[in-house]
Amino acid sequence: MPVAPARRAGDLLAWLRNALEAERDRWFLWLPVFLGSGIGLYFTLTVEPPLWLGLLAAPVAVALALIARWRQRFVLVAVALSAMAVGFAAAEIETRAAAAPVLERRLGPVPVEGRVVEAEPLPAGLRILVEPTQIGRLASDQLPARIRIKLRDGEGAPLPGEGIAVRATLLPPPAPAMPGAYDFQRRAYFDRLGAVGYAVGAVRELPGEAPPAWRVRLAALRAEMTRRIQAALPGRTGAIAAAIITGETHAIPEADAQAFRDAGLAHILVIAGLHMGMVAGIAFFAIRFGLALFPYLALRLNTKKWAAGGALMVTFVYLLLSGITVSSRRSFVMTALVLLAVLIDRMSVSARGLALAALVIMLWSPFAVTGPSFQMSFAAVAGLVAFYETFRERISAGYRDAGHLRRWGLHALGIVLTTVVSTVATTPFTVFHFNRFPIYSVAANILAVPITGLWVMPWAILACVLMPFGAEKIALVPMGWGIDVIAEIAHGVTSWPGAALTLPSMPVWGLMVLSLGGVWLCLWRGRWRLLGLAPIAAGYLTLLLPRPPDVLVDSESRVMAVRAANGAYLASTAARAGLAEETWTRRAAVAAGPAWPKSGSSDDGTLSCDAEACLYRARGRVVAFDRAPAALAEDCGKVDLIVTPVPARGGCRETPVIDRFDTWRNGSYAIWLGPERIAIESVRDWRGQRPWVPWRPPERAAATAAAPSGLVP
């Protein structure tokens, strides 16, 4: 007889209950997952929830979790909901705390006075972060908390803490280049950055400023160290050395930074687990070796604990020098847990250490969860922890009876496995955020990581020790030799055929499904962890779903792009496209074609232009790009959509129009053409009305009333 569905469901629930109970010691590891889910829920909303919602939901959910624990019913569900509520509330609180005035329009050149809080060297010039005290005629209550100004060569190099005066052109932080693209405006909001711009004159120092806060003093120390490193090692070598020691990466030339990314060596340029672990290890063994040189101390002290304490202090200093970034905070917390375990004679549990590090960072800065640094850092470490937890016994057995030659082989194999696991774990986030996948990262890391650990990092530590005595060049020069070798490896690997694969961005929900599968696979120990492979596969399949927009319009209606028959994007003007075109082509994983013809047709015949307008024909639709009011009047009612930098002011009601007012109000547009309908999505549609989105007056009813929204099937 067939088994009744109710019985099958009961068996399934019993199996699930037994599996969960068998992994009770892993339940804690899911706490940061649910906390992050609550944070993610907040940031996916398109309307700002009231603050009372999070402040009320969090304590209520926690109280229900305590009741559930007391009654021993639905404990896991209650704890999961309470963690989500706490994450949601923490994100709301951080958003309210970060609120600060933002420049509403372009200003300048205007006189700017204020105090420098950060100074970042660039390949050409310097970029400073300023807390302004005066910006032109802006009222004090309209002054942004911070502004960022780019200085040209020869304009001086002010240090953090100095008061300055300069004439600068300032602009509001830019919005995303298209729906779904990187949202710098949101990042600027949480950094309390209210304007960006560039200097148009020399910088003058203002005397008589108050003593700076400790963060500013720390930034001044980092800036001075960076300057001295680059003085000893000019060019690319010094920029990479500064990135390794002080975390300043902006001075690295773009060609070199891209080579490191395409070779899978970008982690060497970012202070994270690799660097923190190496610094802690070098400091630990150096201190213990130093104590062993003195028999009186070695016989009376627990040198292992003293070395652990000293290494903890060294890594904390390194955390401060790194700029206290998300990746360095995570690495420090995990490293500190290992060293503290040595101090109290306890075994360190890596998975719990990772969970604690995640909880600390999420509660400290919930917004960090949305960034690639947090996601890739924790994905890599979670993958490595899960891998070595599973295969630790086999690996240890291989080391026990191995000779010297075999041990070296096993070390090389360890580098390979570590690279493969971390690459697999971070690939979905790499593709989602950067649309690039390094093919030869394993080969590059086998060559570069040993040089970094055995040569570059020891010299970096020695350079920091010698710097107070002005003798840092003694260590920086040999450090530079190793950096040059690593840079040549990066460029050499990227010169191989097909070194980096460009992929389109998967949908956000696809990344979430894939991440859930990865978390399931990493956090559980039983065989049921393999169930996580199904959502991982489903997440990767979503790469096949998105169809690139057929038409793109920038936020000023000045640059447009259309898809040619071969899939490439043709930009309306190569001179002004810049970042917008780079973002459009990268996210769609297509090439950039030639600029629009001034007259005549494109090679594939999809685009035809004259002095006043261009017509684009695709998928049975016609889109007009009108440059003059006369062309707008002529095309009204004769095409399916009109895009124009001319203010239409509702003059055409027969055809949907996207004009300069629409892009000013709603940001960039992405348009999909289809035989059934035209789908139009703006940056404002995608982001909604959130605190980091500039307020604009309500749109005119006639602007896009005839254009149905939604994605084309």
Side-chain angles (χ1 to χ4, degrees):
M1 295 180 60
V3 180
R7 182 177 176 183
R8 285 201 297 263
D11 292 342
L12 180 61
L13 287 174
W15 172 81
L16 179 62
R17 189 182 304 111
N18 293 335
L20 280 171
E21 190 62 33
E23 303 220 44
R24 176 180 286 270
D25 62 325
R26 310 288 285 185
W27 292 0
F28 173 77
L29 305 182
W30 284 87
L31 197 59
V33 176
F34 291 113
L35 186 72
S37 298
I39 295 171
L41 175 63
Y42 170 80
F43 283 107
T44 56
L45 297 177
T46 55
V47 293
E48 185 64 20
L51 181 60
W52 62 261
L53 180 62
L55 296 181
L56 178 63
V60 169
V62 171
L64 291 176
L66 293 174
I67 294 173
R69 180 175 176 81
W70 174 55
R71 299 291 298 271
Q72 292 296 310
R73 299 186 65 181
F74 307 109
V75 177
L76 294 181
V77 174
V79 171
L81 291 176
S82 66
M84 291 180 65
V86 170
F88 190 94
E92 278 196 297
I93 293 171
E94 183 187 27
T95 300
R96 298 306 194 279
V102 177
L103 206 64
E104 296 181 356
R105 58 184 175 83
R106 178 188 178 109
L107 288 181
V110 292
V112 175
E113 295 183 5
R115 172 181 293 180
V116 178
V117 293
E118 286 184 13
E120 301 172 336
L122 302 174
L126 185 74
R127 190 167 67 188
I128 58 175
L129 192 65
V130 179
E131 292 180 347
T133 56
Q134 178 183 343
I135 299 178
R137 297 182 179 179
L138 275 183
S140 58
D141 60 345
Q142 296 178 330
L143 284 178
R146 292 180 169 187
I147 60 175
R148 197 173 71 187
I149 302 174
K150 183 178 179 181
L151 308 179
R152 295 175 298 179
D153 289 334
E155 291 179 337
L159 289 174
E162 294 181 358
I164 64 159
V166 64
R167 288 186 63 81
T169 297
L170 300 178
L171 305 92
M178 65 180 292
Y182 173 65
D183 194 347
F184 176 77
Q185 215 164 51
R186 185 173 69 174
R187 171 65 185 271
Y189 175 89
F190 285 93
D191 288 343
R192 310 192 80 225
L193 181 66
V196 296
Y198 54 91
V200 296
V203 177
R204 293 187 297 108
E205 183 177 352
L206 295 179
E209 290 291 323
W214 70 269
R215 283 185 174 271
V216 178
R217 292 180 184 274
L218 179 61
L221 173 63
R222 294 177 63 232
E224 176 62 18
M225 290 179 67
T226 300
R227 185 191 66 79
R228 291 171 65 171
I229 291 168
Q230 292 181 313
L233 298 173
R236 172 189 71 184
T237 307
I240 296 175
I244 292 173
I245 295 176
T246 64
E248 292 289 358
T249 60
H250 296 93
I252 301 174
E254 179 56 29
D256 295 289
Q258 189 63 47
F260 272 77
R261 287 192 291 266
D262 289 346
L265 298 177
H267 60 94
I268 291 178
L269 304 179
V270 179
I271 297 177
L274 175 69
H275 305 76
M276 199 69 70
M278 288 179 175
V279 167
I282 292 169
F284 179 87
F285 289 109
I287 294 172
R288 197 170 187 189
F289 176 77
L291 292 174
L293 295 177
F294 300 93
Y296 180 84
L297 297 177
L299 294 173
R300 288 166 174 79
L301 299 177
N302 187 329
T303 57
K304 184 178 181 180
K305 292 188 176 183
W306 278 86
L312 182 60
M313 294 177 62
V314 171
T315 51
F316 179 70
V317 172
Y318 193 39
L319 171 70
L320 297 178
L321 294 180
S322 72
I324 320 180
T325 60
V326 172
S327 57
S328 63
R329 290 201 298 264
R330 188 269 306 161
S331 305
F332 173 76
V333 171
M334 293 200 66
T335 304
L337 288 172
V338 173
L339 295 173
L340 287 172
V342 174
L343 289 172
I344 61 176
D345 296 317
R346 293 282 300 273
M347 289 295 294
S348 172
V349 181
S350 298
R352 285 185 170 265
L354 179 64
L356 287 171
L359 289 172
V360 169
I361 293 175
M362 287 178 179
L363 293 174
W364 184 352
S365 177
F367 174 67
V369 174
T370 66
S373 177
F374 178 93
Q375 295 167 9
M376 295 177 68
S377 177
F378 278 92
V381 178
L384 291 171
V385 168
F387 177 82
Y388 285 108
E389 277 184 343
T390 304
F391 299 100
R392 178 183 299 160
E393 294 300 326
R394 300 181 191 178
I395 295 172
S396 299
Y399 270 97
R400 288 191 194 106
D401 303 321
H404 292 293
L405 184 60
R406 188 180 176 187
R407 283 178 179 268
W408 279 104
L410 290 173
H411 280 301
L413 179 61
I415 295 174
V416 172
L417 293 176
T418 298
T419 302
V420 170
V421 172
S422 59
T423 299
V424 170
T426 58
T427 290
F429 305 100
T430 302
V431 172
F432 181 82
H433 291 287
F434 307 111
N435 307 103
R436 299 284 280 181
F437 176 68
I439 301 296
Y440 305 118
S441 62
V442 173
N445 278 274
I446 290 175
L447 298 172
V449 169
I451 298 173
T452 304
L454 299 177
W455 184 266
V456 172
M457 293 305 298
W459 288 114
I461 294 175
L462 182 59
C464 293
V465 173
L466 296 176
M467 198 166 287
F469 308 101
E472 66 275 2
K473 192 171 183 178
I474 297 173
L476 287 174
V477 170
M479 178 186 176
W481 300 339
I483 289 174
D484 289 338
V485 172
I486 295 172
E488 290 304 316
I489 291 172
H491 283 280
V493 169
T494 53
S495 67
W496 298 351
L501 183 65
T502 302
L503 296 170
S505 295
M506 67 179 68
V508 174
W509 64 267
L511 180 66
M512 294 171 63
V513 169
L514 200 156
S515 301
L516 176 62
V519 168
W520 188 277
L521 185 65
C522 290
L523 297 192
W524 296 129
R525 282 178 175 162
R527 292 182 63 84
W528 70 326
R529 70 194 300 180
L530 298 179
L531 294 174
L533 295 175
I536 290 175
Y540 274 117
L541 287 175
T542 63
L543 284 169
L544 305 175
L545 297 180
R547 177 163 74 84
D550 297 296
V551 179
L552 287 157
V553 186
D554 82 336
S555 59
E556 296 180 342
S557 295
R558 295 182 180 273
V559 181
M560 299 91 167
V562 297
R563 287 195 77 195
N566 63 359
Y569 275 129
L570 310 180
S572 58
T573 168
R576 300 182 62 93
L579 179 61
E581 185 182 21
E582 188 276 330
T583 302
W584 297 343
T585 55
R586 175 176 52 80
R587 288 186 59 81
V590 300
W596 292 6
K598 293 183 178 179
S599 62
S601 300
S602 59
D603 293 340
D604 61 355
T606 58
L607 190 69
S608 58
C609 298
D610 58 29
E612 293 188 338
C614 289
L615 293 179
Y616 173 62
R617 295 175 174 85
R619 304 180 186 274
R621 298 284 185 168
V622 181
V623 180
F625 299 91
D626 296 331
R627 305 187 185 102
L632 176 63
E634 182 180 347
D635 290 330
C636 183
K638 299 178 182 178
V639 297
D640 297 293
L641 176 67
I642 296 175
V643 180
T644 176
V646 177
R649 302 184 184 279
C652 178
R653 299 188 179 275
E654 294 83 1
T655 302
V657 178
I658 298 174
D659 69 356
R660 193 167 75 189
F661 285 117
D662 291 314
T663 54
W664 172 80
R665 184 179 296 106
N666 301 320
S668 301
Y669 276 80
I671 302 161
W672 291 263
L673 305 179
E676 300 297 328
R677 58 176 178 168
I678 299 176
I680 300 175
E681 185 180 21
S682 69
V683 165
R684 182 173 290 275
D685 294 332
W686 167 59
R687 296 197 297 175
Q689 191 59 50
R690 304 304 301 273
W692 49 85
V693 180
W695 182 86
R696 294 288 188 263
E699 63 179 319
R700 294 166 291 130
T704 56
S709 61
L711 294 180
V712 176

